């Protein structure tokens, strides 16, 4: 055996040229190499699998180098070790022994190829130092020599080795080297092609299954290929569209200029993306998000265009819905405050230019809360929707109705020439709203109060106009509801006064500037004093005694009523006990504001007043108005039942004026009905008031309740009440509300009923 390296353990690679020239080969050898290449090509042409081709290379080379075996080992890119990839003649056990080989100076010919990045020709594996770690393998499989060369990837990285191992000691001739060189190069190409095909297949699968549409165009914009998503999106099959241009998908939403600009951008910047309206095969137009990129070859010349696109009609619908919801009221579908403000401000801008007016109408339904609470919320909702429809009918196309929330609506009248025009619309709105409506099978009627502020007269900012229309609306409410009021400077002054009162009321609570006056209540049958109603007064440092009508409303709005009411309860109970101690056992009636009553700690306030004073509960009567009971009935009922269980008395104040359903009288354990003074006032003259009063008295009797008439000023009134069988009375006829000391004097003077000791 020709041994060029002898038994030297140190490799002398310089002895072998990097690449062998064909001219160095004999003619016969050249032909053999040609045959080898043709045989491999044949396998490729037959569509053989990459593994089969590589095996074929090994076997063909074994034929050309008898008594040898060809093996391919590939580097593991993670661990950096070598595994046998092909070795059709290597026994399975040999494969197992070689697998996982770590390249190093003693790791055999293949390991050294990797270790030195150079071919290794080992003629004596039993003695060569390069086979030190594999010596046993060499013995066991009788591998006497082993020549190994690198296998390269397309980017000239060593990815593995191709080796011919012989069962005899031999050194390679130029022909053998050429065999190794050709084999390694074919194997490199086959491996590379396999890698590309695999990633192409992966790519194709991804595109075929993509949720995005995909299209390849040539440079003249002819469609070369589309994916299945395209067909699902557009309705055209691949056959129908291939060879056409995307013009077939155009909608008439864009002009030629749009497409020109789009393609210009693709040509200049290599890409374009944006929203395009397209047409499906069935004619339907839809928005898509389109992405076009140019594909360039190595010289930078564009060869293809790739378009990816997705149908964004769903997203558009959702966006529109969100846009709609954020600018509209969900219940009535009317514009909300944000959109309303927008429209009003545009209307003001136009009005400023054209010198006309804009009116802001602030509308609030009267007593809506009561209806809502007593009929249930779904009826309330139906009512609001019905009002919304009616309001829209009262205004023109260019005007806007908006729901602010609750039962509050805003209306913008955008093109007002004369203020008189507003009046006409206001009258129309009042009567439209007041017409009966059929809600859940019931005929209901409802009224509203409207405040009006006008641009430019009352302000030129939305916020100002809104505030002023609101003040005007409160004036409409105060004027008895079911009416409208324009904003005036007087209203402004009143509101400022309102603010001032709120401010000094806070001071009053801190400094306890309140006092209670008492008004006697008389039993009409016996003429005896049976009770006293406590009525609050504000002892104002500069303005003297302020009546409750001037501040209770503000105290309710500011929440101060809770503290004030708590003080009233404590003070009234303390007074009642003082009178009892003085031998005057009177029931003291205390007025309770709705705000105070609905607060969670009202019961606590009662218990504390009774506890601190030591008053027995049956000497305390609370006066509630009907509206308090009708709100949130279930909760009110349980609270009232608890209070009644304590022994407290309950009177319904101002009876007959509320939006009464009467049925609550069966539910609540009421003791007294206080007939409102508005009915009592005219009983001498007005037959209707007489009828109402006598009806209330009779109803009270049949329900086993006591009736007390408020505001009795004359003997004639008293006589009528007595005739009707009214149980008790209270009014200036007996006494005005008076301070407690004066009250004692009054009792003494009366000389009847309970006696002061
Ligand atoms: P109310 O409970 O209906 O009280 C009766 C009102 O009629 C009292 O007015 C009383 O002074 C007045 N009045 C009594 N007899 C006659 C009469 O013969 N003729 C006329 N014209 N009026 C008469 P006042 O004291 O101004 O109280 C007004 C309202 O303020 C009360 O109406 C009550 O709703 C409320 N109020 C009074 N004190 C309190 C209180 O401590 N807390 C709460 N929350 N409200 C109170
Ligand atoms: Mg009262
Ligand atoms: Mg009253």
């Amino acid at each position: 055996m020709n041994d060029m390296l002898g038994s030297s353990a140190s490799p002398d690679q310089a002895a072998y040229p990097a690449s062998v020239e064909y001219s160095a080969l004999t003619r016969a050898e050249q032909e053999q190499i040609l045959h080898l290449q043709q045989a491999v090509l044949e396998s490729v042409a037959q569509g053989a699998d990459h593994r089969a081709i590589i095996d074929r290379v090994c076997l063909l080379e074994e034929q050309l180098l008898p008594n040898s075996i060809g093996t391919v080992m590939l580097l593991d890119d993670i661990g950096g070790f070598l595994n046998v990839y092909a070795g059709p003649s290597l026994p399975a056990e040999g494969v197992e022994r070689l697998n996982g080989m770590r390249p190093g100076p003693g790791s055999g010919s293949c390991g050294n190829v990797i270790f030195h990045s150079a071919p290794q020709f080992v003629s004596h594996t039993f003695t060569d130092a390069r086979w030190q770690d594999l010596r046993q393998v060499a013995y066991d499989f009788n591998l006497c020599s082993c020549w190994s060369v690198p296998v390269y990837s397309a980017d000239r990285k060593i990815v593995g080795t191709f080796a011919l191992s012989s069962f005899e000691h031999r050194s390679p001739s130029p022909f053998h080297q050429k065999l190794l060189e050709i084999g390694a190069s074919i194997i490199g190409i086959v491996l590379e092609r396999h890698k590309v095909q695999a990633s192409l297949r992966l790519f194709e699968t991804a595109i075929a299954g993509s949720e995005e549409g995909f299209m390849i165009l040539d440079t003249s914009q002819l469609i070369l290929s589309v994916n299945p998503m395209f067909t699902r999106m557009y309705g055209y099959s691949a056959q129908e569209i291939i060879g056409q241009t995307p013009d077939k998908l155009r909608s008439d939403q864009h002009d030629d200029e749009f497409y020109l600009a789009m393609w210009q951008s693709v040509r200049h910047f290599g890409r374009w993306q944006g929203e395009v309206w397209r047409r499906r095969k069935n004619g339907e137009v839809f928005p898509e998000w389109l992405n076009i990129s140019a594909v360039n070859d190595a010289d930078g010349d564009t060869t293809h265009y790739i378009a990816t696109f997705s149908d964004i009609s769903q997203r558009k619908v959702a966006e529109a819905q969100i846009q709609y919801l954020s600018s509209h009221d969900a219940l009535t579908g009317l514009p909300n405050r944000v959109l309303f403000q927008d429209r009003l401000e545009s209307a003001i801008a136009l009005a400023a230019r054209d010198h006309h007016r804009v009116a802001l109408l602030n509308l609030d339904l009267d007593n809506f809360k009561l209806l809502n609470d007593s009929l249930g919320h779904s009826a309330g909702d139906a009512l609001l929707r019905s009002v919304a429809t009616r309001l829209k009918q009262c205004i023109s196309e260019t005007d806007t109705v908006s729901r602010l929330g609750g039962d509050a609506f805003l209306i913008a009248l955008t093109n007002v020439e004369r203020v008189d025009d507003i009046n006409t619309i206001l009258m129309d709105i009042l009567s439209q709203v007041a017409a009966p409506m059929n809600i859940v099978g019931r005929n209901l009627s409802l009224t509203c109060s409207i405040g009006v502020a006008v641009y430019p007269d009352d302000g030129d900012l939305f916020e100002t106009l809104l505030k002023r229309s609101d003040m005007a609306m409160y004036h409409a409410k105060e004027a008895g509801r079911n009416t409208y009021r324009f904003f005036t400077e007087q209203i402004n002054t009143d509101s400022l006064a309102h603010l001032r009162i709120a401010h000094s009321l806070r001071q009053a609570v801190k400094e306890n500037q309140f006092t209670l006056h008492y008004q006697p209540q008389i039993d009409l049958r016996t003429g005896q004093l049976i009770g006293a109603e406590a009525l609050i007064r504000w002892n104002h440092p500069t303005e003297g005694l302020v009546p409750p009508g001037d501040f209770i409303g503000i105290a309710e709005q500011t929440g101060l009523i809770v503290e004030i009411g708590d003080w009233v309860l404590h003070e009234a109970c303390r007074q009642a006990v003082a009178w009892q101690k003085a031998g005057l056992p009177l029931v003291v009636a205390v007025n309770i504001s709705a705000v105070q009553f609905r607060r969670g700690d009202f019961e606590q306030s009662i218990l504390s007043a009774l506890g601190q004073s030591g008053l027995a509960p049956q000497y305390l009567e609370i006066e509630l108005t009907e509206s308090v009971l009708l709100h949130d009935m279930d909760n009110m009922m349980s609270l009232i039942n608890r209070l009644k269980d304590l022994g407290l008395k309950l009177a319904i104040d101002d009876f007959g004026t509320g939006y009464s359903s009467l049925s609550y009288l069966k539910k609540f354990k009421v003791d007294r009905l206080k007939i409102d003074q508005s009915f009592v006032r005219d009983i001498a003259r007005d037959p209707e008031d007489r009828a109402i009063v006598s009806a209330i008295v009779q109803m009270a009797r049949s329900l086993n309740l006591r009736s007390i008439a408020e505001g009795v000023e004359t003997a004639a009134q008293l006589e009528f009440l007595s005739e009707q069988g009214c149980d008790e009375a209270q009014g200036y006829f007996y006494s005005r509300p008076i301070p407690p000391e004066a009250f004692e004097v009054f009792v003494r003077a009366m000389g009847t009923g309970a006696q002061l000791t």
Side-chain angles (χ1 to χ4, degrees), residues 515-517 519 533-537 547-552 556 561 564-565 567-569 590-594 596 623 625 653-654 674 676-677 681 710-714 717 730-737:
T515 173
L516 290 183
H517 284 189
Q519 187 173 37
E533 178 176 6
L535 294 156
I536 194 170
R537 271 86 185 100
D550 290 0
F551 67 90
I552 291 290
E556 285 176 332
I561 192 67
I564 297 175
W567 175 83
V568 172
L569 273 171
V590 174
N591 294 283
I592 306 295
S593 146
Q596 180 190 0
E623 292 193 6
T625 54
D653 205 353
D654 306 342
K674 297 193 77 171
D676 191 68
Q677 50 184 284
R681 194 178 307 130
E710 291 186 290
V712 179
E713 294 184 1
T714 64
Q717 290 166 340
Q730 166 185 354
Y732 295 172
F733 180 77
Y734 297 107
S735 165
R736 289 178 175 262

Side-chain angles (χ1 to χ4, degrees), residues 73-84 98-105 107 110-117 158-161:
M73 296 190 86
L74 290 187
L75 262 180
D76 179 283
D77 10 306
I78 302 164
F81 42 80
L82 283 167
N83 286 319
V84 177
L98 290 173
N99 269 350
M101 177 205 293
R102 198 157 291 283
S107 61
C110 297
N112 271 285
V113 166
I114 305 297
F115 192 65
H116 292 290
S117 302
I158 298 180
V159 292
T161 58

Side-chain angles (χ1 to χ4, degrees), residues 241-261:
I241 202 72
I242 285 174
Q244 309 264 5
T245 72
D247 284 356
K248 202 173 165 80
L249 313 172
R250 270 198 196 190
S251 71
D252 45 18
Q253 301 280 314
H254 310 282
D255 51 14
D256 290 346
E257 234 166 89
F258 174 85
Y259 293 104
L260 268 175

Side-chain angles (χ1 to χ4, degrees), residues 298-515:
D299 300 332
D301 293 330
T302 298
T303 58
H304 296 89
Y305 298 109
I306 292 180
T308 54
F309 39 89
S310 47
D311 184 338
I312 53 170
S313 38
Q314 285 303 100
R315 196 174 84 197
K316 285 248 155 200
V317 169
E319 273 171 9
Q321 211 153 17
I322 289 168
Q323 170 67 20
Y324 181 84
L325 285 178
S326 66
S327 60
H328 287 78
D329 165 43
L331 176 66
T332 59
L334 292 177
N336 65 9
R337 187 197 148 120
V338 178
L339 181 55
F340 180 84
Q341 175 168 356
D342 209 54
R343 296 213 185 147
L344 190 92
E345 282 168 352
S346 325
I348 288 177
L350 275 182
R353 194 192 65 191
D354 301 345
H355 303 291
H356 58 242
R357 291 181 156 90
V358 174
L360 172 53
L361 277 50
N362 197 319
L363 183 150
D364 193 276
L365 299 176
D366 299 329
N367 295 321
F368 174 76
K369 247 187 138 15
L370 277 177
L371 272 174
N372 197 35
D373 291 338
S374 55
L375 296 176
H377 288 219
S378 65
D381 287 351
L383 220 122
L384 288 171
R385 275 194 289 264
S386 168
V387 168
T389 311
R390 289 176 180 202
L391 291 178
K392 274 191 284 188
Q393 284 162 359
C394 296
I395 59 164
S396 77
E397 284 282 295
T398 53
D399 299 339
T400 303
V401 186
S402 152
R403 179 168 168 253
L404 263 191
D407 57 345
F409 295 83
L410 293 180
I411 299 167
L413 304 179
T414 51
N415 197 353
V416 179
E417 294 288 332
R418 294 165 315 133
V419 175
D420 254 4
D421 301 342
I422 310 177
N423 280 316
T424 320
I425 296 174
L426 285 166
M427 295 302 292
D428 189 31
I429 292 176
L430 287 178
S431 72
Q432 287 294 320
V433 171
M437 33 190 129
N438 195 287
I439 303 287
V440 288
R442 293 174 68 163
N443 256 336
L444 298 173
S445 53
L446 187 76
T447 58
C448 66
S449 303
I450 310 172
V452 187
V454 179
Y455 164 86
D457 316 55
D458 303 327
D460 47 16
L461 292 177
F462 170 73
E463 292 299 340
T464 316
L465 292 171
L466 182 66
K467 206 167 97 198
R468 297 191 154 188
S469 66
D470 197 52
M471 290 179 192
M473 191 267 289
Y474 273 98
H475 273 252
K477 291 263 185 207
E478 273 168 27
R481 305 179 169 181
N482 192 19
T483 186
Y484 61 85
R485 285 289 180 274
F486 280 81
F487 173 80
T488 60
E489 266 318 309
Q490 185 57 47
I491 287 181
N492 205 18
T493 320
D494 289 354
S495 306
L496 288 175
H498 185 283
L499 278 179
R500 247 198 330 273
I501 293 173
H503 177 75
S504 49
L505 201 55
R506 265 190 202 100
Q507 204 62 23
V509 169
K510 267 195 220 134
E511 295 175 11
N512 191 19
Q513 296 171 358
F514 302 104
T515 173

Side-chain angles (χ1 to χ4, degrees), residues 156-174:
R156 296 298 297 166
K157 278 201 197 111
I158 298 180
V159 292
T161 58
F162 172 51
L164 287 170
S165 311
S166 303
F167 305 127
E168 58 187 82
H169 299 295
R170 45 160 74 136
S171 297
S173 69

